[in-house]
Amino acid sequence: MSSKSFSKLAFISSAKPSAKAALKALSQRYGNHDAADADAIIAIGGDGFMLHTLRRHLPLIRRGLPVYGVNRGTIGFLMNEYSLDDLPERLAKAEPTTVHPLKMVAQAAGGELTEVAFNEVSLFRQTQQAAHISIIVDNKVRMERLIADGVLLATPVGSTAYNLSAHGPVIPLGADVLALTPISAFRPRRWRGALLKGTSKVRFEVLEPVKRPVSASADNSEIRNVTSVTVEQDLSASLTMLFDADHGLDEKILLEQFVA
């Protein structure tokens, strides 16, 4: 529970009509401040908009500005239920969750590019040809050639997103591990992935990149025609997300493990 006062709030929303209507109602009730002067950012929309918010306001969030999501999207795994009433009190009682993003450095046809991801970094074939990818963990080759649609590395926060759809494991918050999960693996056919230490540095080398081109995505930011991608958790970046006390992110992740 936070002891911080939340008198100045920065409301932002997605373009969805229900999110824009909530933005108008909340701003009229509580006022709307610039994020640089606010006690918290209130992101109104869905999970995709939350990821966009974290990326857009990363410098402020790195310095300790918390983010509270209000669900006006579809799934809302990273969000809280929408209510017009008692928002400052809900924020004061909210449970803070610290997350560390992934840092992706991709070598591509256009040069080197760096991106951050809060859910996962994924590599995926660009054509009908299966991707051929070598996987190196902490400078040791762990798989010489994965033949698959792709592969991803997910954080605990992202373990219930694309990773879960690819049959990867759900990771409890605080476990300090990352999920390395293949996407429709052809060879080795029975490989289901691995759990890695949170401090691991993973490098993906794209084999035959001209014949079998591969794209890399850091959440929803895509880079095409990559030749190699290095991913590690940025432990120096501690970001705070706020969740209602009875709907904390750790509880949501736990519940996902008991869904039939």
Side-chain angles (χ1 to χ4, degrees), residues 203-228:
R203 189 168 81 253
F204 302 103
E205 296 285 351
V206 178
L207 308 177
E208 306 176 61
V210 176
K211 180 181 179 181
R212 304 173 183 277
V214 170
S215 66
S217 295
D219 290 338
N220 53 7
S221 179
E222 183 188 42
I223 302 166
R224 295 179 70 82
N225 299 305
V226 298
T227 55
S228 70

Short mmCIF file of all heavy atoms in Angstrom, two decimals, residues 203-228:
data_model
loop_
_atom_site.label_atom_id
_atom_site.label_comp_id
_atom_site.label_asym_id
_atom_site.label_seq_id
_atom_site.Cartn_x
_atom_site.Cartn_y
_atom_site.Cartn_z
N ARG A 203 21.29 -14.28 -26.87
CA ARG A 203 21.53 -13.80 -28.22
C ARG A 203 20.92 -14.79 -29.21
O ARG A 203 21.15 -16.00 -29.12
CB ARG A 203 23.02 -13.63 -28.51
CG ARG A 203 23.27 -12.92 -29.85
CD ARG A 203 24.72 -12.47 -30.01
NE ARG A 203 25.60 -13.55 -30.44
CZ ARG A 203 26.47 -14.16 -29.67
NH1 ARG A 203 26.59 -13.80 -28.38
NH2 ARG A 203 27.24 -15.13 -30.13
N PHE A 204 20.16 -14.27 -30.14
CA PHE A 204 19.57 -15.06 -31.21
C PHE A 204 20.31 -14.73 -32.50
O PHE A 204 20.37 -13.57 -32.91
CB PHE A 204 18.08 -14.74 -31.38
CG PHE A 204 17.24 -14.96 -30.15
CD1 PHE A 204 16.84 -13.89 -29.37
CD2 PHE A 204 16.87 -16.24 -29.77
CE1 PHE A 204 16.06 -14.09 -28.24
CE2 PHE A 204 16.09 -16.45 -28.63
CZ PHE A 204 15.70 -15.37 -27.86
N GLU A 205 20.89 -15.74 -33.14
CA GLU A 205 21.56 -15.57 -34.43
C GLU A 205 20.67 -16.16 -35.51
O GLU A 205 20.29 -17.33 -35.45
CB GLU A 205 22.92 -16.28 -34.42
CG GLU A 205 23.93 -15.71 -33.43
CD GLU A 205 24.52 -14.38 -33.88
OE1 GLU A 205 24.28 -13.99 -35.04
OE2 GLU A 205 25.20 -13.72 -33.07
N VAL A 206 20.31 -15.33 -36.49
CA VAL A 206 19.45 -15.79 -37.58
C VAL A 206 20.32 -16.47 -38.63
O VAL A 206 21.24 -15.86 -39.20
CB VAL A 206 18.68 -14.62 -38.20
CG1 VAL A 206 17.82 -15.10 -39.37
CG2 VAL A 206 17.81 -13.93 -37.15
N LEU A 207 20.05 -17.75 -38.88
CA LEU A 207 20.78 -18.52 -39.88
C LEU A 207 20.07 -18.38 -41.23
O LEU A 207 18.84 -18.39 -41.30
CB LEU A 207 20.84 -19.98 -39.46
CG LEU A 207 21.35 -20.24 -38.03
CD1 LEU A 207 21.30 -21.73 -37.68
CD2 LEU A 207 22.76 -19.69 -37.84
N GLU A 208 20.83 -18.20 -42.28
CA GLU A 208 20.27 -18.01 -43.63
C GLU A 208 19.29 -16.83 -43.67
O GLU A 208 18.15 -16.98 -44.10
CB GLU A 208 19.58 -19.28 -44.11
CG GLU A 208 20.45 -20.54 -44.07
CD GLU A 208 19.69 -21.78 -44.48
OE1 GLU A 208 19.21 -21.83 -45.64
OE2 GLU A 208 19.55 -22.68 -43.64
N PRO A 209 19.71 -15.65 -43.24
CA PRO A 209 18.78 -14.52 -43.14
C PRO A 209 18.23 -14.02 -44.47
O PRO A 209 17.16 -13.40 -44.50
CB PRO A 209 19.62 -13.44 -42.45
CG PRO A 209 21.04 -13.79 -42.78
CD PRO A 209 21.07 -15.28 -42.80
N VAL A 210 18.94 -14.27 -45.58
CA VAL A 210 18.44 -13.84 -46.88
C VAL A 210 17.35 -14.78 -47.37
O VAL A 210 16.27 -14.36 -47.80
CB VAL A 210 19.59 -13.75 -47.91
CG1 VAL A 210 19.04 -13.40 -49.28
CG2 VAL A 210 20.61 -12.70 -47.47
N LYS A 211 17.62 -16.07 -47.28
CA LYS A 211 16.64 -17.07 -47.72
C LYS A 211 15.47 -17.17 -46.75
O LYS A 211 14.32 -17.38 -47.16
CB LYS A 211 17.32 -18.43 -47.86
CG LYS A 211 16.38 -19.55 -48.30
CD LYS A 211 17.11 -20.88 -48.38
CE LYS A 211 16.16 -22.00 -48.81
NZ LYS A 211 16.84 -23.31 -48.87
N ARG A 212 15.77 -17.00 -45.46
CA ARG A 212 14.76 -17.17 -44.41
C ARG A 212 14.72 -15.91 -43.54
O ARG A 212 15.18 -15.93 -42.40
CB ARG A 212 15.08 -18.41 -43.56
CG ARG A 212 15.22 -19.69 -44.38
CD ARG A 212 15.70 -20.85 -43.52
NE ARG A 212 15.90 -22.04 -44.31
CZ ARG A 212 14.94 -22.91 -44.66
NH1 ARG A 212 13.70 -22.68 -44.26
NH2 ARG A 212 15.20 -23.97 -45.39
N PRO A 213 14.19 -14.82 -44.05
CA PRO A 213 14.21 -13.55 -43.29
C PRO A 213 13.35 -13.63 -42.03
O PRO A 213 12.33 -14.31 -41.98
CB PRO A 213 13.65 -12.54 -44.30
CG PRO A 213 12.82 -13.35 -45.24
CD PRO A 213 13.53 -14.67 -45.36
N VAL A 214 13.80 -12.90 -41.03
CA VAL A 214 13.17 -12.92 -39.71
C VAL A 214 12.98 -11.48 -39.22
O VAL A 214 13.85 -10.63 -39.41
CB VAL A 214 14.04 -13.72 -38.71
CG1 VAL A 214 13.54 -13.55 -37.28
CG2 VAL A 214 14.07 -15.20 -39.08
N SER A 215 11.85 -11.23 -38.59
CA SER A 215 11.62 -9.94 -37.94
C SER A 215 11.71 -10.10 -36.43
O SER A 215 11.56 -11.21 -35.91
CB SER A 215 10.24 -9.37 -38.31
OG SER A 215 9.21 -10.20 -37.79
N ALA A 216 11.98 -9.02 -35.74
CA ALA A 216 12.03 -9.03 -34.28
C ALA A 216 11.09 -7.96 -33.76
O ALA A 216 11.01 -6.86 -34.32
CB ALA A 216 13.45 -8.77 -33.78
N SER A 217 10.36 -8.28 -32.69
CA SER A 217 9.42 -7.33 -32.10
C SER A 217 9.69 -7.18 -30.61
O SER A 217 9.82 -8.18 -29.90
CB SER A 217 7.97 -7.79 -32.31
OG SER A 217 7.64 -7.79 -33.68
N ALA A 218 9.80 -5.94 -30.17
CA ALA A 218 9.85 -5.62 -28.75
C ALA A 218 8.47 -5.12 -28.38
O ALA A 218 8.11 -3.99 -28.70
CB ALA A 218 10.91 -4.57 -28.46
N ASP A 219 7.65 -6.00 -27.79
CA ASP A 219 6.22 -5.74 -27.62
C ASP A 219 5.61 -5.47 -29.00
O ASP A 219 5.60 -6.34 -29.85
CB ASP A 219 5.97 -4.61 -26.62
CG ASP A 219 6.30 -5.03 -25.19
OD1 ASP A 219 6.32 -6.24 -24.91
OD2 ASP A 219 6.57 -4.14 -24.36
N ASN A 220 5.15 -4.25 -29.25
CA ASN A 220 4.51 -3.97 -30.54
C ASN A 220 5.37 -3.14 -31.48
O ASN A 220 4.87 -2.57 -32.45
CB ASN A 220 3.16 -3.27 -30.31
CG ASN A 220 3.29 -2.04 -29.43
OD1 ASN A 220 4.39 -1.64 -29.08
ND2 ASN A 220 2.17 -1.44 -29.06
N SER A 221 6.67 -3.08 -31.21
CA SER A 221 7.59 -2.35 -32.08
C SER A 221 8.41 -3.36 -32.88
O SER A 221 9.20 -4.12 -32.31
CB SER A 221 8.51 -1.46 -31.24
OG SER A 221 9.43 -0.77 -32.05
N GLU A 222 8.22 -3.36 -34.21
CA GLU A 222 8.82 -4.40 -35.05
C GLU A 222 10.01 -3.88 -35.84
O GLU A 222 10.02 -2.74 -36.32
CB GLU A 222 7.77 -4.95 -36.03
CG GLU A 222 8.31 -6.09 -36.90
CD GLU A 222 7.35 -6.52 -37.99
OE1 GLU A 222 6.74 -5.62 -38.62
OE2 GLU A 222 7.20 -7.73 -38.21
N ILE A 223 11.01 -4.74 -35.97
CA ILE A 223 12.19 -4.49 -36.80
C ILE A 223 12.32 -5.67 -37.76
O ILE A 223 12.36 -6.83 -37.32
CB ILE A 223 13.47 -4.35 -35.95
CG1 ILE A 223 13.31 -3.22 -34.94
CG2 ILE A 223 14.68 -4.11 -36.84
CD1 ILE A 223 14.37 -3.23 -33.86
N ARG A 224 12.39 -5.39 -39.05
CA ARG A 224 12.41 -6.47 -40.03
C ARG A 224 13.84 -6.75 -40.50
O ARG A 224 14.74 -5.93 -40.37
CB ARG A 224 11.52 -6.12 -41.22
CG ARG A 224 10.05 -6.02 -40.82
CD ARG A 224 9.15 -5.66 -41.96
NE ARG A 224 9.01 -6.73 -42.95
CZ ARG A 224 8.18 -7.76 -42.82
NH1 ARG A 224 7.43 -7.87 -41.72
NH2 ARG A 224 8.09 -8.67 -43.75
N ASN A 225 14.01 -7.97 -41.06
CA ASN A 225 15.28 -8.40 -41.65
C ASN A 225 16.44 -8.32 -40.66
O ASN A 225 17.50 -7.76 -40.95
CB ASN A 225 15.59 -7.58 -42.91
CG ASN A 225 14.52 -7.74 -43.97
OD1 ASN A 225 14.20 -8.86 -44.38
ND2 ASN A 225 13.94 -6.63 -44.40
N VAL A 226 16.23 -8.89 -39.48
CA VAL A 226 17.30 -8.89 -38.49
C VAL A 226 18.27 -10.04 -38.76
O VAL A 226 17.90 -11.07 -39.32
CB VAL A 226 16.74 -9.01 -37.05
CG1 VAL A 226 15.87 -7.81 -36.72
CG2 VAL A 226 15.97 -10.31 -36.86
N THR A 227 19.51 -9.85 -38.36
CA THR A 227 20.52 -10.91 -38.48
C THR A 227 20.89 -11.47 -37.11
O THR A 227 21.23 -12.65 -37.00
CB THR A 227 21.78 -10.39 -39.18
OG1 THR A 227 22.27 -9.23 -38.49
CG2 THR A 227 21.46 -10.02 -40.62
N SER A 228 20.82 -10.64 -36.09
CA SER A 228 21.03 -11.12 -34.72
C SER A 228 20.31 -10.19 -33.76
O SER A 228 20.12 -9.00 -34.04
CB SER A 228 22.53 -11.19 -34.37
OG SER A 228 23.08 -9.90 -34.26
#
